[in-house]
Amino acid sequence: MCGIVGYTGTGKAGSIIIDGLKKLEYRGYDSAGLALQNEGKVVIIKTAGTVAALEKIYRGNCLTAKTGIGHTRWATHGRPTEVNAHPHGGCSDDLAVVHNGIIENYKLLRSWLIEEKDHQFRSETDSEVLAHLIEEYYDGDLLAALRRAIDEVKGSYALAAISAREPGRIVCVRRDSPLVIGLGKSENLVASDIPALLNRTRRVMVLEDGEFASITAEKVEIYDAGGKPVEREILEVNWDLEAAEKGGFAHFMLKEIMEQPVAVRETLRQRIDLPSGKVDLSELAMDTGEISRLKKIHIVACGTAYHAGLLGREIIENIAGIPVDVEVASEFRYRRPLLAEDHLVIVISQSGETADTLAALRLARLRKVKVLAVTNVVGSTIAREADQVLFTWAGPEIAVASTKAYLTQLVALYLLALYLGQVRKDVDPALALDLVKGLLELPAQLEKLLADEKLEKLRAYSNHLACWDNAFFIGRSLDYPVAREGALKLKEISYIHAEAYAAGELKHGPLALIDEGVPVIALVTQKVVLEKSLSNIQEVKTRGGAVFIITRDDFGDLIRQEEAVFTLPPVGDLLAPILSVVPTQLMAYYTALARGSSVDQPRNLAKSVTVE
Ligand code: M6R
């Protein structure tokens, strides 16, 4: 995710664009930049800091330009440095481009432009290739050059460009990344999202996939992929600014839960080859020899990321056959863990800044053990200090309660397990192919799950839950870590004391706590222990517990007769945890709503825990 804003009109383009970028910082905030048409040139200002830092630099320049484009970045290809910040220019200072998305074939295009066309590149980004391609094809019409460039490009993009030779004009195009056009009085704008437009206008047009637009102060023209003009309906937006920043959702947490299909799709993108079923993680710095010699893996993380690690252990041991230990970072860092050179430490961290996880990383490196980081933030301290990084592409996560980042951490661990298993030739190719196909189906399954009318059932049970001060989550096998994550989410935002138990442990103590109406959420997605899980549910029900079951569609009538049941689309045992956690996230959300607690910023907690 990144945020784009373009403006052309009679106002001061720089200030208007910066104002718009501030409203898009939820889409990324590691670097920012601005390109303005100024006295026959395109002037580019950028910084490795936030939009506020960009504003300071802009105020120091006397630029009265009326047309420009801006960008706030969430780094994907290339670290969050000034040179990698957008806008990107070509070889001359004639043109600038801002881009949100991923250009999959940029390496090929870049080599062609350098070797055959003598272009000189400055940054490490995939996006810069767009500026050089447009420059290469420019022949007096920016839209025509953009069209030719886009013909060559594979991937996802929302893109806006300006040229010094066409004053007052912005051209843009989109595929799989959003763009909206705002219609003002003697001014028009383009942006990644509506909040960036609301200070100037409430009249918007949505650009559809594959469409191009040419925007001047007086005119907006939209064309389809074939170049035919398109009539687009004008929408009147009546959201207030706060609602608009959350994409119309009441809270960032709900928005981020709903973004999970896209986050999973992005994390899988370009890492799987079909029909071979091969996982390609050549982005990692481990050669075949190192992978084959691996004797043990230690996963270290905190909170939700630790729960991803608990599942990581099951996944890696199952698929790649390598023994795995999992530990919370605050404990690991003060022990003398038994580490050896043929071990690998995996640290998992959404923010890449968690102090305990970072300390664990440093301890491992001091002990000469290679560290692989699974993180969501390019350029974070953990990403920089690890020997190798497997990025999750969840986009910025704003709500303190982690949801989409957790799901992408799981996906990254499945990919890693498959990759290690395939390199070591320890995974049965048929099983690998099955899993790979299952992974690719997840985004569609998540979309279905999140649109399900059954969500009402979750809401109804959450209203019951909201009246209690204690709740229990139970599950066996791979359901147990999911139960732990469900309990953490509930306590974090609803302040209900929630505990998770391996269902088989109930009789060894916790069953004493079950009484009439006590809420118990049971995860039942593992075929191997289905009968056992059902018996544990009976034990709870006999004592009056109010059980809510999260299970799979294909577990049949056995469970379906129950009233409080949420069923998941058909999914195998190994992949079930990716789907089964979603109803627990929603349940925590609905319960917090019912109790009136602060969903996005729970008391006493912070998004990034950079102190011990
Ligand atoms: O940024 P990190 O993934 O390292 O953060 C780790 C935990 O602080 C984090 O997962 C925390 O438990 C979440 N707020 C839970 O929703």
Side-chain angles (χ1 to χ4, degrees):
M1 293 236 292
C2 294
I4 290 176
V5 182
Y7 172 86
T8 179
T10 52
K12 227 175 155 188
S15 311
I16 295 166
I17 292 168
I18 285 173
D19 182 55
L21 290 177
K22 285 182 187 165
K23 311 291 183 307
L24 294 185
E25 277 194 293
Y26 73 87
R27 301 181 64 84
Y29 42 75
D30 60 41
S31 45
L34 193 62
L36 299 168
Q37 285 179 342
N38 203 61
E39 297 174 356
K41 283 191 178 160
V42 169
V43 176
I44 297 180
I45 306 172
K46 45 194 192 176
T47 170
T50 58
V51 177
L54 175 70
E55 188 171 23
K56 268 198 195 139
I57 306 172
Y58 167 74
R59 298 259 175 254
N61 286 272
C62 253
L63 297 167
T64 52
K66 308 270 183 256
T67 301
I69 51 179
H71 190 268
T72 176
R73 181 167 185 244
W74 181 253
T76 56
H77 291 66
R79 291 158 300 149
T81 56
E82 183 178 322
V83 74
N84 288 337
H86 297 220
H88 291 289
C91 295
S92 68
D93 50 11
D94 261 9
L95 131 156
V97 168
V98 287
H99 167 228
N100 166 33
I102 292 174
I103 305 302
E104 292 170 6
N105 58 340
Y106 81 99
K107 283 191 186 146
L108 214 71
L109 293 169
R110 188 178 162 119
S111 309
W112 175 73
L113 284 159
I114 294 172
E115 284 155 28
E116 315 247 331
K117 302 286 172 187
D118 253 2
H119 281 253
Q120 289 185 355
F121 280 69
R122 299 183 189 98
S123 77
E124 306 158 331
T125 64
D126 55 334
S127 310
E128 189 183 352
V129 84
L130 297 165
H132 289 273
L133 264 185
I134 296 171
E135 182 175 53
E136 181 61 32
Y137 293 135
Y138 188 76
D139 191 15
D141 180 354
L142 191 58
L143 189 62
L146 175 64
R147 197 181 288 287
R148 276 197 71 187
I150 285 302
D151 273 349
E152 315 264 327
V153 160
K154 285 197 189 120
S156 62
Y157 42 81
L159 181 162
I162 54 171
S163 162
R165 296 196 235 166
E166 297 179 44
R169 187 187 199 196
I170 302 171
V171 300
C172 49
V173 61
R174 68 154 281 194
R175 177 167 307 282
D176 293 337
S177 296
L179 268 188
V180 283
I181 296 169
L183 307 170
K185 287 194 189 103
S186 299
E187 62 181 27
N188 290 307
L189 300 97
V190 61
S192 299
D193 200 357
I194 290 170
L197 308 173
L198 291 184
N199 275 347
R200 310 295 299 181
T201 181
R202 292 190 165 260
R203 299 173 68 229
V204 305
M205 296 195 300
V206 178
L207 208 62
E208 300 290 354
D209 256 359
E211 288 179 347
F212 294 78
S214 167
I215 303 170
T216 62
E218 302 301 337
K219 201 152 90 180
V220 172
E221 294 161 300
I222 300 181
Y223 302 94
D224 69 12
K228 270 208 336 246
V230 172
E231 281 295 317
R232 180 58 31 83
E233 184 192 356
I234 298 173
L235 309 170
E236 288 283 341
V237 180
N238 49 19
W239 294 343
D240 64 21
L241 193 59
E242 209 198 321
E245 269 170 324
K246 293 173 188 148
F249 293 102
H251 298 95
F252 278 112
M253 181 181 177
L254 185 58
K255 176 171 177 277
E256 287 158 8
I257 290 174
M258 295 301 172
E259 282 170 354
Q260 291 183 115
V262 177
V264 167
R265 195 172 282 130
E266 286 304 316
T267 303
L268 290 170
R269 192 189 277 277
Q270 279 189 291
R271 286 168 164 168
I272 287 180
D273 178 65
L274 278 180
S276 73
K278 280 257 174 327
V279 171
D280 177 8
L281 295 185
S282 45
E283 63 209 80
L284 297 180
M286 272 188 302
D287 60 31
T288 310
E290 272 174 283
I291 293 177
S292 308
R293 284 193 296 276
L294 268 184
K295 287 276 176 312
K296 187 162 187 176
I297 292 177
H298 305 259
I299 301 182
V300 190
C302 300
T304 285
Y306 167 69
H307 293 152
L310 289 176
L311 278 164
R313 170 174 60 201
E314 304 306 316
I315 298 160
I316 295 172
E317 290 191 347
N318 252 290
I319 298 175
I322 308 172
V324 182
D325 269 356
V326 195
E327 199 164 351
V328 287
S330 51
E331 292 298 317
F332 180 89
R333 64 180 291 191
Y334 290 115
R335 290 202 305 114
R336 271 196 62 79
L338 295 176
L339 301 174
E341 266 181 36
D342 49 7
H343 291 189
L344 173 72
V345 169
I346 301 178
V347 294
I348 309 174
S349 172
Q350 185 285 131
S351 61
E353 301 295 347
T354 300
D356 285 321
T357 312
L358 181 59
L361 175 158
R362 288 177 177 160
L363 170 72
R365 296 209 65 216
L366 211 65
R367 302 269 303 274
K368 307 263 180 290
V369 180
K370 283 240 169 115
V371 177
L372 185 158
V374 176
T375 182
N376 196 35
V377 182
V378 178
S380 58
T381 314
I382 286 178
R384 281 186 278 114
E385 293 197 15
D387 296 285
Q388 49 198 328
V389 187
L390 185 54
F391 285 109
T392 54
W393 299 125
E397 195 178 61
I398 310 283
V400 167
S402 182
T403 53
K404 62 176 181 171
Y406 171 74
L407 230 63
T408 57
Q409 286 160 358
L410 291 186
V411 169
L413 290 166
Y414 280 94
L415 290 172
L416 181 66
L418 280 161
Y419 180 66
L420 296 177
Q422 286 172 340
V423 172
R424 291 161 67 97
K425 300 198 174 28
D426 275 338
V427 58
D428 168 28
L431 170 73
L433 188 60
D434 242 32
L435 280 171
V436 156
K437 285 187 183 157
L439 283 170
L440 291 169
E441 275 173 28
L442 285 170
Q445 287 179 318
L446 286 163
E447 264 156 21
K448 185 165 176 276
L449 197 160
L450 288 165
D452 212 310
E453 65 289 351
K454 289 185 303 226
L455 296 189
E456 260 321 300
K457 277 192 168 183
L458 291 176
R459 216 181 240 282
Y461 188 79
S462 303
N463 287 338
H464 168 78
L465 203 49
C467 306
W468 289 78
D469 290 330
N470 293 291
F472 300 93
F473 286 73
I474 57 171
R476 284 171 171 262
S477 178
L478 269 62
D479 285 329
Y480 177 42
V482 180
R484 294 178 72 167
E485 173 57 11
L488 173 64
K489 217 88 309 172
L490 185 66
K491 66 184 124 187
E492 188 177 17
I493 60 167
S494 74
Y495 316 147
I496 292 174
H497 172 230
E499 287 303 330
Y501 292 102
E505 274 291 291
L506 283 182
K507 327 186 190 35
H508 300 284
L511 207 52
L513 298 169
I514 305 299
D515 204 349
E516 206 55 40
V518 170
V520 179
I521 294 98
L523 287 125
V524 188
T525 72
Q526 301 296 301
K527 209 174 211 146
V528 272
V529 286
L530 177 59
E531 297 302 331
K532 307 273 172 215
S533 301
L534 292 177
S535 313
N536 296 138
I537 289 173
Q538 277 321 313
E539 288 160 15
V540 171
K541 284 190 149 185
T542 315
R543 273 107 191 147
V547 181
F548 187 92
I549 304 173
I550 296 170
T551 186
R552 288 162 35 176
D553 258 350
D554 53 320
F555 278 174
D557 299 335
L558 208 56
I559 289 175
R560 226 173 276 147
Q561 298 145 355
E562 307 259 354
E563 187 43 31
V565 174
F566 186 90
T567 53
L568 307 167
V571 60
D573 280 21
L574 263 183
L575 292 180
I578 302 188
L579 298 181
S580 62
V581 73
V582 177
T584 70
Q585 298 169 338
L586 285 162
M587 199 180 268
Y589 175 74
Y590 293 141
T591 308
L593 273 193
R595 287 169 71 100
S597 43
S598 161
V599 172
D600 284 336
Q601 272 138 2
R603 68 185 181 201
N604 310 337
L605 300 177
K607 182 66 185 160
S608 182
V609 186
T610 53
V611 289
E612 258 197 76

